[in-house]
Amino acid sequence: MVLMSDFVTAPSEGTPQLMAGAAAIRQAADQLAQGTGWCAVDTERASGFRYHNRVCLLQIRRAGAGTMLIDVESDAQATTDFIGRVLADTGWVVHAASTDLPYLEQLRLRPPQLFDTELAGRFLGFHRVNLAAMVEHYLGVRLRKNHGGEDWSRRPIPSEWLDYAALDVEYLLPLADAMRSELMQQHPKDEWVAEECDYLTRVYRGYSPTPKSWEDLKGVHGLRTSKQLQVARWLWRVREKLARASDTAVSRLLPDKALVALATELPTTVPKVMRTPGYPPRLRRKARYWANQVDKALRTAQDRWPEPFPIPTYRDTPPSRYTWSRYYPESFPKLTMVREELARVAAQVEIPVENMIQSSDTNEIVWRSQELKEVTDDTELLELLQRLQIRPWQQKLCLPIFTSILLP
């Protein structure tokens, strides 16, 4: 295949019009309805800028209709009402569906059928499965991916951003055709990908993100005193209130790492805040504010401070591999044997082991069988795999491994 020497920076049909407002969105839906076949679908969000990680721009391309850029920010309800009717009647081609479907679900946009080109790339043995790499390999087209991290809530959207967004769907349909053909040549990988895509359509239907709490902060469980935990909780609540009110991403106000560091060091002056490890220099002007908040947290009544976290007992939840190897030496070799055999089989069928089965599921299966003694025969093992939503194609590859190593 001869590759193009220059990057493609503009859509073949010119920069699409941004369809904003109910009337324009309905017009876009009518035009898409006149097209044929599956729709290529992509989204742009403003996760690093806004508190709510909502869809700001929706890109759709369909044969016979061209590319539509939908300004979801202008009328989310119209997007649901008009675009939803079209998308409900056709399959979708999406790249990296797990990064789009949760947020499209907020608009109640759900694929009746799905083909994920990133997932297909993994099953076809590619190490680089980003859209640009896939399009260049299969179609000989070079895309410059340079606007993915922009603030897509910004209005007006610059024309070069619109070109970038349109190119994200321009080649998805022919890319999917080429990848489907190769998957069929590597049968049964075509069936495996179909099962995975069907699973994705089900798992994100009705999806709602779990509300965050201060206890979810990475590193907060390393804090040992009630004083530190009180500051962590206080700063988290203050940050949440500010982020919601201003619709600003929490990381822009105070990154998690810096929040936990402030709770660790307990600085109540500007110089001490600035010397706190991980506190961003860009937040120098906010140092006094956060110093005051630490001070306020420490002035609250101590009987209302959080109790230190209990030491994990690892009853229902598997421990880390380090803890497992140190405190459960009888079962840890079985975990190692299982993981090595899974890796061998994954290499044999040429797919990533994490696509064959997730590491957390592997740990769960070994833990429940070896330490909790909940799995003692083939029937109980199969029931556990089904409860963990291990798909049928995965069961065929993994079940013999678990049976031979874990069951007496």
Side-chain angles (χ1 to χ4, degrees):
M1 181 179 294
V2 179
L3 301 182
M4 299 173 61
S5 59
D6 297 325
F7 287 97
V8 174
T9 58
S12 58
E13 298 154 4
T15 304
Q17 176 186 354
L18 181 63
M19 310 303 278
I25 293 173
R26 182 170 190 170
Q27 178 186 345
D30 291 342
Q31 188 167 335
L32 287 168
Q34 298 302 311
T36 58
W38 285 36
C39 287
V41 179
D42 191 32
T43 68
E44 303 294 348
R45 303 187 302 280
S47 56
F49 298 88
R50 301 298 174 189
Y51 178 78
H52 296 286
N53 196 10
R54 59 187 180 270
V55 176
C56 298
L57 182 72
L58 172 62
Q59 307 102 282
I60 307 173
R61 184 173 178 84
R62 194 179 194 187
T67 298
M68 298 290 128
L69 301 183
I70 312 299
D71 185 359
V72 181
E73 289 281 86
S74 70
D75 198 324
Q77 189 60 52
T79 303
T80 297
D81 292 343
F82 302 129
I83 301 298
R85 293 170 192 166
V86 179
L87 293 181
D89 290 332
T90 183
W92 299 10
V93 175
V94 180
H95 190 80
S98 60
T99 64
D100 289 309
L101 295 188
Y103 307 102
L104 289 166
E105 176 63 29
Q106 295 174 5
L107 296 167
R108 299 191 300 282
L109 301 179
R110 300 158 179 164
Q113 289 181 278
L114 178 71
F115 185 82
D116 185 339
T117 51
E118 185 205 46
L119 184 68
R122 294 181 183 277
F123 279 71
L124 288 169
F126 290 94
H127 296 293
R128 295 175 61 242
V129 293
N130 59 76
L131 180 61
M134 295 291 93
V135 168
E136 183 171 353
H137 176 83
Y138 283 99
L139 306 178
V141 175
R142 302 179 69 196
L143 299 176
R144 181 175 280 121
K145 305 294 292 178
N146 55 346
H147 289 298
E150 307 287 4
D151 179 2
W152 287 92
S153 65
R154 171 181 165 182
R155 295 297 181 272
I157 301 178
S159 60
E160 59 268 26
W161 294 14
L162 296 178
D163 287 339
Y164 169 90
L167 287 171
D168 269 355
V169 293
E170 177 142 344
Y171 299 100
L172 271 181
L173 297 175
L175 174 62
D177 290 340
M179 300 184 87
R180 283 192 184 104
S181 177
E182 189 165 345
L183 285 167
M184 291 178 66
Q185 294 173 22
Q186 297 186 28
H187 182 78
K189 287 186 178 180
D190 55 331
E191 295 179 353
W192 296 353
V193 171
E195 276 193 52
E196 284 301 284
C197 289
D198 182 59
Y199 168 75
L200 287 172
T201 63
R202 297 195 312 272
V203 77
Y204 288 114
R205 185 174 294 271
Y207 173 84
S208 179
T210 303
K212 296 281 188 177
S213 85
W214 70 277
E215 296 181 11
D216 297 320
L217 286 166
K218 183 177 180 179
V220 75
H221 285 259
L223 302 179
R224 295 304 179 195
T225 69
S226 291
K227 179 184 292 187
Q228 292 172 321
L229 293 171
Q230 163 63 9
V231 172
R233 183 175 66 178
W234 180 282
L235 295 181
W236 186 88
R237 289 175 174 174
V238 168
R239 188 183 66 171
E240 281 291 299
K241 185 176 180 180
L242 290 173
R244 286 178 180 272
S246 61
D247 192 15
T248 302
V250 294
S251 60
R252 297 181 74 83
L253 297 176
L254 185 67
D256 288 353
K257 182 178 180 180
L259 190 156
V260 174
L262 292 176
T264 302
E265 301 295 329
L266 307 175
T268 55
T269 66
V270 170
K272 289 183 178 180
V273 168
M274 294 305 302
R275 288 197 299 269
T276 299
Y279 187 81
R282 65 178 174 83
L283 296 180
R284 178 180 299 275
R285 292 185 177 182
K286 294 294 183 180
R288 183 173 301 280
Y289 177 82
W290 292 116
N292 290 340
Q293 292 302 322
V294 171
D295 185 61
K296 287 182 179 180
L298 295 175
R299 291 177 182 274
T300 58
Q302 294 188 22
D303 60 354
R304 296 183 179 181
W305 290 5
E307 293 292 329
F309 292 116
I311 298 175
T313 57
Y314 303 116
R315 292 178 181 172
D316 293 330
T317 304
S320 68
R321 292 186 68 187
Y322 171 78
T323 301
W324 196 330
S325 65
R326 184 173 181 180
Y327 295 104
Y328 304 92
E330 292 185 3
S331 62
F332 185 74
K334 291 289 184 74
L335 175 66
T336 301
M337 292 171 62
V338 166
R339 293 173 70 92
E340 289 176 350
E341 187 63 13
L342 288 170
R344 186 191 68 79
V345 172
Q348 190 175 50
V349 297
E350 297 182 304
I351 62 172
V353 67
E354 62 268 21
N355 286 110
M356 193 169 82
I357 186 169
Q358 292 185 13
S359 178
S360 59
D361 289 333
T362 299
N363 293 349
E364 188 85 7
I365 292 164
V366 177
W367 182 256
R368 291 192 174 278
S369 67
Q370 302 303 295
E371 289 295 335
L372 302 186
K373 308 299 182 182
E374 294 179 356
V375 177
T376 59
D377 57 33
D378 292 345
T379 300
E380 291 175 343
L381 178 58
L382 180 58
E383 289 175 351
L384 176 57
L385 265 63
Q386 292 172 340
R387 191 161 70 246
L388 293 172
Q389 300 187 63
I390 309 299
R391 273 72 76 196
W393 75 269
Q394 296 174 314
Q395 294 174 24
K396 290 179 182 178
L397 294 174
C398 299
L399 193 55
I401 297 172
F402 291 126
T403 300
S404 62
I405 296 176
L406 302 180
L407 296 185

